[in-house]
């Protein structure tokens, strides 16, 4: 599939991208190359290939779900301009 310069301009307009007029021809060439590569990949025989989420057949190592730090909420709230009942208070930003 070949992408022509007018198509590059149309794609750029739809994507709201500023494309320099001097670069349109290069973009057309690059996009054509990308689409040719995708077409070649689509022709690959993948019958019998099972889809996978990860290329390695391994389980993810997980750390134990244990508390590793002490509660320092009161210390952190000493610097807050407004606090009530252990919560940070912020100015109202949405008016009804």
């Amino acid at each position: 599939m070949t992408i022509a310069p007018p198509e590059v301009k149309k794609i750029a307009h739809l994507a709201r991208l500023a494309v320099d007029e001097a670069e349109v021809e290069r973009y057309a060439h690059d996009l054509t190359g990308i689409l040719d590569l995708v077409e070649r990949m689509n022709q690959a025989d993948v019958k019998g290939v099972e889809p996978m989420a990860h290329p390695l057949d391994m389980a993810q190592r997980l750390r134990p779900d244990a508390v590793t730090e002490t509660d320092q909420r009161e210390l952190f709230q000493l610097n807050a301009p407004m606090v009530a009942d252990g919560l940070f208070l912020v100015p109202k930003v949405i008016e009804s």
Side-chain angles (χ1 to χ4, degrees), residues 7 9 35 39 52 64 72 82 88-90 96:
E7 292 172 307
K9 292 178 184 177
L35 292 176
E39 184 59 35
M52 57 185 164
Q72 300 182 41
M82 295 186 299
F88 291 96
L89 300 180
V90 297
S96 52

Side-chain angles (χ1 to χ4, degrees), residues 46-55 57:
V46 293
K47 290 185 178 98
V49 177
E50 186 177 329
M52 57 185 164
H54 193 278
D57 188 22

Side-chain angles (χ1 to χ4, degrees), residues 1-51:
M1 178 177 197
T2 303
I3 300 289
E7 292 172 307
V8 171
K9 292 178 184 177
K10 182 178 180 182
I11 292 168
H13 173 73
L14 292 172
R16 304 298 190 255
L17 297 173
V19 176
D20 189 19
E21 192 67 35
E23 299 289 318
V24 170
E25 192 67 41
R26 186 176 65 84
Y27 285 133
H29 179 267
D30 291 349
L31 287 172
T32 299
I34 291 169
L35 292 176
D36 288 343
L37 175 64
V38 170
E39 184 59 35
R40 283 188 287 162
M41 291 172 65
N42 282 336
Q43 293 173 358
D45 182 20
V46 293
K47 290 185 178 98
V49 177
E50 186 177 329

Side-chain angles (χ1 to χ4, degrees), residues 39-84:
E39 184 59 35
R40 283 188 287 162
M41 291 172 65
N42 282 336
Q43 293 173 358
D45 182 20
V46 293
K47 290 185 178 98
V49 177
E50 186 177 329
M52 57 185 164
H54 193 278
L56 302 177
D57 188 22
M58 297 171 47
Q60 180 70 22
R61 290 184 298 154
L62 300 176
R63 64 175 172 78
D65 189 16
V67 176
T68 58
E69 296 183 15
T70 59
D71 181 14
Q72 300 182 41
R73 179 178 61 186
E74 292 163 354
L75 175 66
F76 296 144
Q77 288 184 343
L78 290 175
N79 295 326
M82 295 186 299
V83 177

